Amino acid sequence: MDMLSLHDPLFATYAIAATLMILKAVGMSWLTVVRMMQEKGGFRSPEDLRKTPLNPAPDPRQLEPNERVERIRRIQMNDLENLPFFLVAGFLYVLSEPSLLLARLLLYGYVASRLLHFAAYFTGQTHDMRATLWTVGSLILIFMTAKTLLTALGV
C-alpha cells in the first residue's frame, strides 16, 4: 500500500494543502508579533512592560487592547478553530480513495477559501463576505467528512 506516500498524487495533494494551512497558521503568530511591534502595544502580559531592547519605553497603555493587533489575533483564533478539523477531515478523506480531481478541487478549494477569508478579515471586509468564505470551507469539510463516513460504512 503506497497510499500514505508523497509519491501517491492523492496523498501528496493532501500534504500540500495541509502544509499550506499549517504555514498560514504559524505565520499568523509572526504577524501578531510584527503588528505588536509596529503598534508598540496590544501586549497581554504585565511582564511585557519591562524595559528591553524591543520595548525601550514601556508604558502601561501598551497592555490596553489595540484593534490592529486584536484583528490579527481574531484571525488566528479563527484558524485555530478551523484548521484541526481540516487536517483530520482531509486525511480521513484521502483514506476513502476519492478521485484525484475531486480531492484536488476540495482540498485546494478549502485552502483558497481560508486564504480569501484571511484577506477579507485582514482588510476589514463585511461579515457577510467573511461568512460566505467561511461557509465555502465549512461545506467542503462537511462533504469530505460525510463521504468518508459513507465509505467507512460501506455505503
Side-chain angles (χ1 to χ4, degrees):
M1 179 159 138
D2 206 24
M3 186 174 195
L4 296 181
S5 161
L6 293 177
H7 298 290
D8 173 50
L10 186 57
F11 187 72
T13 298
Y14 167 74
I16 291 166
T19 301
L20 290 172
M21 289 291 85
I22 291 167
L23 287 172
K24 185 216 178 281
V26 171
M28 293 307 303
S29 297
W30 286 96
L31 186 55
T32 302
V33 171
V34 167
R35 187 60 64 88
M36 287 169 41
M37 294 299 100
Q38 288 173 341
E39 296 294 316
K40 295 178 179 49
F43 303 151
R44 287 207 166 150
S45 302
E47 61 271 16
D48 296 343
L49 294 183
R50 293 180 188 150
K51 186 174 182 175
T52 67
L54 293 177
N55 192 11
D59 183 320
R61 290 176 294 181
Q62 290 175 315
L63 291 178
E64 294 174 3
N66 177 292
E67 176 52 29
R68 288 177 43 84
V69 175
E70 292 306 311
R71 176 170 295 280
I72 302 303
R73 285 191 175 119
R74 288 192 302 271
I75 296 169
Q76 184 175 30
M77 182 57 64
N78 190 277
D79 282 346
L80 295 174
E81 292 167 354
N82 289 279
L83 181 60
F85 294 115
F86 170 71
L87 295 175
V88 174
F91 181 76
L92 295 174
Y93 179 68
V94 165
L95 294 179
S96 76
E97 300 183 18
S99 77
L100 181 58
L101 176 61
L102 182 57
R104 284 181 173 163
L105 286 171
L106 294 171
L107 294 168
Y108 295 151
Y110 184 85
V111 170
S113 76
R114 294 304 301 169
L115 292 175
L116 290 170
H117 181 270
F118 162 76
Y121 215 143
F122 189 75
T123 60
Q125 301 303 309
T126 65
H127 177 265
D128 293 356
M129 173 64 77
R130 292 191 328 264
T132 298
L133 295 165
W134 177 87
T135 299
V136 169
S138 183
L139 290 174
I140 289 171
L141 289 179
I142 291 167
F143 178 86
M144 289 191 306
T145 304
K147 172 70 167 89
T148 301
L149 178 61
L150 292 174
T151 302
L153 293 172
V155 177

